[in-house]
Amino acid sequence: MGVGSSHFMPNKTCSSAFTATFYPHRSPPSFSFNPNTFIFQRPCKRATTQLSFPSSSSSSFVPLISGKVDQVEIQVGSAVRTMYDFQGIDEELHQRMVYDALVWSSLHGLVVGDRTVKFKLQRSGTVPGVGMVHAPFALLPMPFPETYWQQACELTPIFNELVDRVSLDGKFLQEALSRTKKVDSFTSRLLDIHSKMQEMNKKEEIRLGLHRSDYMLDEQTKLLLQIELNTISSSFPGLSCLVTELHRSLLNHHRKHLGLDSKMIPGNKAVTQFAEALARAWKEYNNPRALVMFVVQTEERNMYDQHCLSTLYNTHDVTTIRKTLAEIDAEGELLPDGTLTVGGQPVSVVYFRAGYAPTDYPSESEWRARLLMEQSSAVKCPSISYHLAGTKKIQQELAKPNVLERFFENKDDIAKLRKCFAGLWGLDDSNIIKDAIERPEFFVMKPQREGGGNNIYGNDVRETLLRLQKEGTEEDAAYILMQRIFPTVSPTFLMRDGICHRDNAISELGIYGAYLRNKEKVIINEQSGYLMRTKVSSSNEGGVAAGFAVLDSIYLT
């Protein structure tokens, strides 16, 4: 979850960059778990004002042996008011649901490595079956309007095609990232590899993308706005499907008390569709002896999500192996015909679940491995060009006027993409810099990093911009500024480490997309499931693996 939001917003007038109207006196969402009524009801009484919002909230925690669960309160200035009532969930029903969810998670593999286990050098992140704990998840699905769900799904094939076309425009990638290259050593190394591929006139005839485009629904503008587009290591296609099934199971089992229809939770086939795309890429490579190689981190608590995909042998008769970048450097070899072998075995598809962060390259060994794979004829997911196409700076460049026209002629597709773009600016825009210093709460500073925990919020935005101005260096090229999105705050139950936390939360919807092309033939271009992530509304960051959020599903309204 890249652009976080909180319930706190100061009482100021917004800049002309993006003026929005807020409704601080709007009646809060009400949850009514009554079999005869729809639970996700939102009263619409409004009193309009400019940029005023409740200043803080309190959080409640409900352990597994909790007391009565009946209401959550928020702090508004100096007054406390009830946010919602769980009329149908008494203590006994709540405890049954928590217990049932934990049992289901254990039986169906909704698990991650336990970061608290330190037995024998953190074996929970290296040895399967050791030190497992349920993945963090929401106890119940999050309401989401069906019209926006359909919009996000319809955008997916367009974004898939956009990534492919941008990846083929090497000049655009190099020029757009040229200033960033001077001050960001990680992006510079990636661009160096890209330049070498251009010098070799290396063509990626078979191109595979397994992407995820992340969105938030802005409460004030009622617009679905894109947070970011992930082109490398789009995580949780496996566990997201399990959370969907968990929620359907809970709604079916407790339907008498909840009055919810499990069919309103959209089906989620992310893991099967991603596996199908990997298998089809393997088939297009046309070497029955070749393997699909997962590039992984040395220690990976999220290995079970990855193993959901690596069971390709059971579903498509395709053998997979898991290797770190260091192991690929030690065991890899490039044959004269361009074939990549690792440990003497030919590799047809390289699927990156690592390699997206500087910490994945602690030495030159890892960079040699990345270059070796790029030089080979293996299908890379992603190739270096696809990787660069997903950077924050490219996202910001694509939002500039007339840039999408460089890649698309279809005006309807261009309009659909532009509609979901949030405000995006480079730090060479003096007017926006001035606005961000004066009103930092409306902006997020984003470096060229993936994985969560990297963005800058609030007063830190002002301090960082003032520091950059004072130093007068080109370090500003390492960042972009993005409009901060403020989604609806909803009450929910968050499950982590066997404890149920009761809190107010916001959510971010990620739509998976699969794209496979062999020369001029597009073989796959489709929406491929979804990932809902929910976090407490007071949190800025939102990565699940980074510990900020929980896995969730959606209930269409």
Side-chain angles (χ1 to χ4, degrees):
M1 297 171 75
V3 177
S5 170
S6 74
H7 47 272
F8 172 75
M9 183 175 280
N11 192 8
K12 293 186 179 180
T13 301
C14 185
S15 71
S16 58
F18 50 97
T19 302
T21 301
F22 294 83
Y23 308 103
H25 307 297
R26 174 181 298 168
S27 299
S30 64
F31 274 36
S32 177
F33 285 86
N34 186 319
N36 299 316
T37 60
F38 189 69
I39 69 161
F40 300 120
Q41 299 172 357
R42 168 171 288 280
C44 295
K45 181 179 179 181
R46 299 178 180 179
T48 305
T49 188
Q50 288 287 325
L51 300 176
S52 177
F53 209 72
S55 59
S56 65
S57 77
S58 63
S59 171
S60 300
F61 301 93
V62 185
L64 185 56
I65 50 172
S66 65
K68 185 179 180 181
V69 182
D70 55 1
Q71 65 181 218
V72 172
E73 295 179 336
I74 64 168
Q75 182 83 25
V76 184
S78 60
V80 178
R81 62 179 171 138
T82 300
M83 187 73 174
Y84 61 88
D85 293 323
F86 283 102
Q87 296 177 2
I89 300 187
D90 58 16
E91 176 186 352
E92 182 180 356
L93 175 59
H94 174 256
Q95 297 302 331
R96 288 205 309 270
M97 290 178 62
V98 169
Y99 186 83
D100 290 346
L102 293 174
V103 171
W104 195 100
S105 300
S106 302
L107 294 177
H108 293 83
L110 182 54
V111 296
V112 294
D114 188 350
R115 70 172 71 239
T116 65
V117 174
K118 298 183 180 298
F119 175 69
K120 291 189 176 180
L121 301 178
Q122 296 283 357
R123 295 177 69 220
S124 66
T126 57
V127 181
V130 175
M132 295 182 293
V133 65
H134 73 83
F137 61 85
L139 188 60
L140 291 168
M142 183 63 67
F144 197 83
E146 187 171 6
T147 53
Y148 295 105
W149 158 254
Q150 292 174 345
Q151 178 189 352
C153 293
E154 291 171 0
L155 282 168
T156 305
I158 308 175
F159 273 117
N160 289 344
E161 187 66 41
L162 178 62
V163 170
D164 188 66
R165 296 185 185 188
V166 170
S167 75
L168 297 176
D169 195 335
K171 182 179 179 182
F172 173 77
L173 289 172
Q174 288 286 336
E175 289 180 352
L177 292 164
S178 59
R179 287 191 67 237
T180 304
K181 180 178 182 177
K182 297 177 182 178
V183 295
D184 187 323
S185 59
F186 179 64
T187 303
S188 178
R189 294 296 297 263
L190 295 176
L191 284 167
D192 287 344
I193 293 176
H194 181 259
S195 295
K196 290 178 181 177
M197 297 305 101
Q198 287 187 301
E199 293 168 4
M200 293 172 54
N201 197 29
K202 180 75 167 56
K203 304 294 183 183
E204 298 293 334
E205 294 184 341
I206 306 174
R207 302 191 292 277
L208 173 64
L210 298 178
H211 310 141
R212 194 188 70 237
S213 184
D214 296 333
Y215 305 91
M216 277 184 172
L217 179 56
D218 187 65
E219 168 65 11
Q220 287 71 43
T221 63
K222 304 301 181 189
L223 292 175
L224 186 74
L225 299 178
Q226 187 186 52
I227 306 299
E228 63 184 355
L229 179 60
N230 303 277
T231 60
I232 182 170
S233 187
S234 299
S235 60
F236 296 114
L239 297 192
S240 66
C241 296
L242 291 175
V243 172
T244 298
E245 293 307 311
L246 165 64
H247 284 165
R248 284 181 164 181
S249 176
L250 288 173
L251 264 56
N252 285 331
H253 189 64
H254 299 283
R255 184 170 185 175
K256 177 180 178 181
H257 301 284
L258 300 179
L260 299 176
D261 185 358
S262 64
K263 294 185 178 65
M264 298 307 294
I265 300 177
N268 195 350
K269 297 183 178 180
V271 68
T272 57
Q273 290 180 266
F274 268 25
E276 174 68 20
L278 288 166
R280 290 290 296 275
W282 172 85
K283 183 178 180 181
E284 290 296 316
Y285 189 81
N286 197 28
N287 182 349
R289 296 178 51 251
L291 313 173
V292 172
M293 180 171 69
F294 284 47
V295 182
V296 299
Q297 294 174 337
T298 304
E299 183 177 312
E300 179 57 83
R301 293 181 60 247
N302 196 29
M303 71 169 79
Y304 305 103
D305 177 64
Q306 299 170 6
H307 282 300
C308 289
L309 278 173
S310 62
T311 56
L312 282 169
Y313 184 80
N314 297 330
T315 56
H316 295 87
D317 200 27
V318 176
T319 302
T320 63
I321 58 173
R322 294 168 58 87
K323 295 290 182 180
T324 65
L325 287 167
E327 289 172 334
I328 294 167
D329 178 53
E331 304 173 21
E333 183 180 358
L334 190 62
L335 301 185
D337 66 353
T339 299
L340 172 68
T341 65
V342 176
Q345 299 174 301
V347 174
S348 58
V349 180
V350 178
Y351 175 48
F352 285 90
R353 291 298 293 263
Y356 53 83
T359 52
D360 290 331
Y361 302 85
S363 70
E364 286 301 309
S365 172
E366 289 77 16
W367 286 111
R368 286 195 300 267
R370 184 67 187 267
L371 178 60
L372 179 73
M373 290 182 285
E374 292 297 331
Q375 291 173 323
S376 77
S377 61
V379 181
K380 274 77 69 177
C381 182
S383 66
I384 191 68
S385 297
Y386 269 42
H387 187 168
L388 292 170
T391 57
K392 306 297 188 296
K393 182 61 180 175
I394 295 301
Q395 180 187 7
Q396 181 251 316
E397 289 289 324
L398 290 171
K400 288 182 176 180
N402 303 316
V403 175
L404 284 177
E405 285 78 359
R406 178 169 180 159
F407 304 101
F408 283 117
E409 295 180 359
N410 188 304
K411 293 183 179 179
D412 288 340
D413 288 345
I414 292 172
K416 289 176 182 178
L417 293 177
R418 284 219 172 96
K419 184 179 180 181
C420 78
F421 285 168
L424 292 159
W425 304 273
L427 268 64
D428 54 353
D429 189 325
S430 58
N431 290 329
I432 289 297
I433 296 302
K434 182 175 181 294
D435 283 342
I437 290 174
E438 292 177 354
R439 302 173 178 87
E441 63 275 8
F442 300 130
F443 296 84
V444 180
M445 280 186 72
K446 306 177 80 172
Q448 313 304 308
R449 294 292 181 268
E450 304 295 336
N454 301 298
N455 297 336
I456 301 172
Y457 299 87
N459 287 331
D460 290 339
V461 171
R462 176 190 288 119
E463 293 176 6
T464 303
L465 290 175
L466 289 173
R467 176 181 63 80
L468 292 174
Q469 284 187 338
K470 182 178 180 180
E471 293 174 353
T473 66
E474 291 188 284
E475 187 187 343
D476 61 347
Y479 300 92
I480 67 166
L481 273 173
M482 184 172 182
Q483 166 194 352
R484 188 164 184 177
I485 302 168
F486 295 92
T488 301
V489 177
S490 302
T492 194
F493 288 129
L494 309 175
M495 293 292 303
R496 186 182 294 275
D497 297 327
I499 299 174
C500 186
H501 304 263
R502 184 180 59 188
D503 217 317
N504 298 317
I506 58 174
S507 296
E508 180 175 321
L509 175 65
I511 302 292
Y512 294 110
Y515 186 91
L516 177 62
R517 187 182 192 119
N518 191 342
K519 299 179 181 177
E520 298 304 312
K521 181 183 179 182
V522 177
I523 300 166
I524 299 175
N525 183 12
E526 61 189 12
Q527 180 264 342
S528 305
Y530 68 97
L531 167 69
M532 193 69 159
R533 286 170 294 173
T534 295
K535 64 176 183 177
V536 294
S537 57
S538 57
S539 172
N540 286 323
E541 294 287 355
V544 176
F548 301 108
V550 302
L551 299 169
D552 206 342
S553 69
I554 66 177
Y555 191 99
L556 296 178
T557 63

